[in-house]
Amino acid sequence: MGDYYPADFAARYRAAGYWTDETFARFLPDAAARFGDAEALVGTDHAGERVRLSYRDLDAAAARTATTLREAGIVAGDRVIVQFPNITDYVTALFGVFRLGAVPVFALPAHRRSEISHFAEVSGAKAYLTVGVHARFDHRQLAREVVRQHPLTVLVADPDPQEFTALAPGREPTGPADPDPEDLAFLQLSGGTTGMSKLIPRTHADYLYSVRESAAICGLGPDTRMLVVLPAAHNFPMSSPGILGVLHAGGTVVLGPDPSPSAAFALIESEQITATALVPPLAMLWLRSRPLIDADLSSLQVLQVGGAKFPEEAARRVRDELGCSLQQVFGMAEGLVNYTRADDPEELVLTSQGRPISPDDEVRVVDDGGAPVPEGEPGHLLTRGPYTIRGYLGGVDAESFDTEGFYRTGDIVRRLPTGHLVVEGRAKDQINRGGEKIAAEEVENHLVAHPDVVDAALIAVPDSLLGERSCAVVLATDPPTAAGLREFLTARGVAAYKVPDRFEFVAEYPTTGVGKISRRELRRRLGDALAIADES
Ligand code: OOB
């Protein structure tokens, strides 16, 4: 059994019925037994072919993919990096890995050599599952670069896997493994604040509890038809309630490769979609585009928005302009997920980010010194509970967890008397670029590797569409150009969304009392500069 939670807490979560014997190895076999011929998954495969799979078909495809993985040498407990766009091969590969009792490491399609190599190193991954070409980028070339440093077995969902193994269903099925429900099920990625992003160990029992409860809170059932346009491996579309919630409840997952309004609206109409999840910039784009696109969206009952703060003005437009209700979702890959509920008063749905899933989610809102703030006042959000991690992979760090095991989210929130949370800001050194998280230090480390860069600070600047964009404030001897630095970062294999949106070159930094770079002062100065630029 894994030691992911203290024994007394684990016993309590079991006794409360939160943690059960269910595991991801048996997830699809169980769903196939319950839902058989019902439609489970709709989408396109790696070849662009339209695919419709029943629960039975999907389970069979995963069972045969597991055979391919097994023949490639993957066994229970192995870590396997999984990097896919929103295609049906992702789901069969993922459940193939689960079936073997192997442990997926979830990469995003945007990740490049820097990130994939890092995941390989810290997870000790044995294999890497990916596609051939996606969005004009050849993942086989990426794999080739990664395996130079890390000896990974690479399987590629493409008829031409080149020197790698083809990821396709094998001839025979492989039966499900029998992992311990309290053991590691997969590794999720943290948005990160320091260095490279840390890996988040989630267990079968803790995660499946959040999946089941999320599905119940969101009222999912066999009639649910959910469109997934956000990157499918992110925690929000994966489990809040996402792909896993829908498949647990017997509904249909429709994978959309393209979140643009024209593509998504067409799918909503043709697939009779009832629910979908977006980050705020996409929700705002959908709102703006609604009058311009002729599509029948009447099947859509609920739009979930999360990953970053949804501006209230936009929230107020959802019902009238998209003709569906809004659900706000405030979650984190480390655990805690909050939802506004269907029967919440409208004002709470529009102005809060919801309340926790579980009655045993412990929430503390504290001041800088760690003392609780009065109810309704902003403070640091700390949390502990039946599906929130107690430490990252590789051990507890005192910065992220307090002595009682509470996770320091880095978010500043207010808690209302109803238990709903309102996100007011952030204390962590992270940029939230429309839901995509960028750890300032990670990008700064890449920048200071440039021979002309003395020091660098990455800060968030407000943006009307993305909420925030990133700006690198660079101290350099012989200032390189912004274009030169962008190229430098790209050549280092950094994902495009982490490359700063703008660069400012300075001769010195404002410092704090203790001599650290004052990001607040940088933001203020930059804010002034931007305001002046806007006026001119
Ligand atoms: C989700 O997960 P992560 O791990 O990518 O990012 C978590 C962080 C939170 O700590 C917070 O800073 C921010 O993203 N965040 C929000 C938010 N939802 C997430 N900030 C303001 N308002 C919101 N509604 O982003 C995630 C995981 C599961 C479900 C939904 C989102």
Side-chain angles (χ1 to χ4, degrees):
M1 189 161 63
D3 288 326
Y4 292 94
Y5 289 81
D8 49 337
F9 282 86
R12 222 174 72 206
Y13 298 150
R14 269 193 302 271
Y18 303 150
W19 290 5
T20 68
D21 290 339
E22 205 180 346
T23 71
F24 283 103
R26 294 208 55 89
F27 186 108
L28 272 188
D30 289 351
R34 282 184 292 153
F35 310 118
D37 292 329
E39 191 166 69
L41 182 67
V42 178
T44 49
D45 67 6
H46 64 270
E49 298 290 332
R50 199 95 192 118
V51 173
R52 284 183 186 275
L53 298 175
S54 68
Y55 277 84
R56 224 188 299 285
D57 295 339
L58 180 58
D59 183 42
R64 288 171 51 205
T65 303
T67 304
T68 305
L69 300 174
R70 185 167 52 75
E71 286 170 356
I74 298 169
V75 299
D78 282 346
R79 281 97 196 258
V80 179
I81 300 170
V82 175
Q83 184 188 36
F84 284 88
N86 289 5
I87 58 173
T88 53
D89 305 69
Y90 165 65
V91 184
T92 47
L94 173 63
F95 280 102
V97 174
F98 277 144
R99 201 173 176 98
L100 291 177
V103 175
V105 181
F106 289 108
L108 297 174
H111 287 142
R112 293 294 177 260
R113 191 181 69 243
S114 170
E115 290 87 10
I116 302 292
S117 301
H118 171 69
F119 305 150
E121 180 158 336
V122 293
S123 72
K126 174 135 169 220
Y128 173 30
L129 315 186
T130 189
V131 287
V133 175
H134 168 65
R136 284 176 297 166
F137 179 79
D138 194 333
H139 286 258
R140 292 164 300 198
Q141 180 56 29
L142 170 56
R144 198 165 291 133
E145 291 171 22
V146 173
V147 294
R148 268 188 219 131
Q149 254 102 51
H150 303 279
L152 296 164
T153 300
V154 180
L155 291 104
V156 183
D158 193 281
D160 179 16
Q162 297 176 351
E163 71 267 45
F164 307 118
T165 305
L167 178 60
R171 233 192 293 264
E172 299 294 326
T174 291
D178 190 21
D180 184 317
E182 287 171 39
D183 221 336
L184 181 65
F186 59 80
L187 293 164
Q188 223 352 323
L189 308 179
S190 75
T193 50
T194 56
M196 296 292 289
S197 70
K198 294 178 217 143
L199 296 186
I200 296 171
R202 301 294 300 261
T203 66
H204 299 271
D206 93 73
Y207 207 70
L208 281 163
Y209 167 57
S210 76
V211 167
R212 286 189 304 268
E213 282 309 302
S214 292
I217 288 168
C218 300
L220 304 192
D223 294 336
T224 301
R225 296 182 64 82
M226 182 178 284
L227 175 63
V228 176
V229 292
L230 294 178
H234 185 268
N235 205 64
F236 181 19
M238 180 155 88
S239 67
S240 304
I243 296 173
L244 296 174
V246 172
L247 294 179
H248 203 278
T252 306
V253 171
V254 178
L255 289 178
D258 177 1
S260 73
S262 51
F265 290 2
L267 269 179
I268 292 173
E269 178 173 331
S270 65
E271 291 294 336
Q272 290 294 291
I273 295 300
T274 61
T276 191
L278 296 177
V279 289
L282 279 175
M284 292 193 277
L285 184 63
W286 283 27
L287 283 167
R288 221 174 21 190
S289 308
R290 179 66 193 109
L292 311 174
I293 296 173
D294 182 28
D296 177 2
L297 304 187
S298 58
S299 60
L300 191 65
Q301 293 163 9
V302 59
L303 174 66
Q304 297 187 290
V305 180
K309 178 90 177 236
F310 194 34
E312 190 188 320
E313 310 77 65
R316 289 196 182 277
R317 293 169 51 197
V318 169
R319 184 181 290 286
D320 282 352
E321 297 180 28
L322 291 174
C324 62
S325 52
L326 169 68
Q327 180 179 47
Q328 298 215 37
V329 188
F330 163 41
M332 53 209 71
E334 284 82 356
L336 184 71
V337 180
N338 304 274
Y339 296 102
T340 57
R341 310 301 206 260
D343 57 0
D344 277 343
E346 184 82 0
E347 273 310 293
L348 269 181
V349 173
L350 297 174
T351 60
S352 88
Q353 280 63 59
R355 64 181 170 82
I357 290 177
S358 176
D360 275 318
D361 277 321
E362 300 172 74
V363 164
R364 285 184 183 164
V365 184
V366 303
D367 64 19
D368 290 346
V373 299
E375 192 172 78
E377 295 290 314
H380 300 270
L381 170 65
L382 272 54
T383 186
R384 184 171 77 174
Y387 60 96
T388 295
I389 57 164
R390 293 304 192 102
Y392 288 104
L393 187 74
V396 180
D397 68 288
E399 228 177 277
S400 307
F401 298 88
D402 78 3
T403 50
E404 292 175 84
F406 279 78
Y407 166 58
R408 297 185 218 268
T409 65
D411 293 313
I412 305 292
V413 304
R414 285 188 297 120
R415 183 170 39 184
L416 308 177
T418 52
H420 288 67
L421 303 176
V422 178
V423 181
E424 295 287 353
R426 187 175 61 230
K428 56 189 165 190
D429 220 351
Q430 192 180 74
I431 290 104
N432 190 336
R433 192 178 183 276
E436 288 182 316
K437 314 303 179 326
I438 305 167
E441 198 183 303
E442 179 183 340
V443 178
E444 291 161 4
N445 286 342
H446 281 295
L447 284 168
V448 296
H450 188 283
D452 294 332
V453 172
V454 177
D455 208 348
L458 193 77
I459 61 172
V461 291
D463 181 81
S464 58
L465 184 62
L466 292 179
E468 296 176 2
R469 282 183 195 267
S470 65
C471 175
V473 186
V474 176
L475 190 72
T477 42
D478 184 10
T481 62
L485 285 177
R486 284 204 177 93
E487 233 168 76
F488 176 74
L489 293 178
T490 305
R492 285 176 68 84
V494 176
Y497 69 89
K498 295 180 187 170
V499 174
D501 292 297
R502 53 182 283 172
F503 287 86
E504 292 290 328
F505 296 95
V506 293
E508 55 164 5
Y509 287 120
T511 49
T512 62
V514 290
K516 292 203 295 190
I517 297 176
S518 169
R519 290 188 161 70
R520 182 179 306 180
E521 179 58 19
L522 276 179
R523 273 193 290 272
R524 197 189 61 74
R525 285 189 193 174
L526 208 66
D528 289 350
L530 290 174
I532 291 164
D534 278 352
E535 281 163 19
S536 59

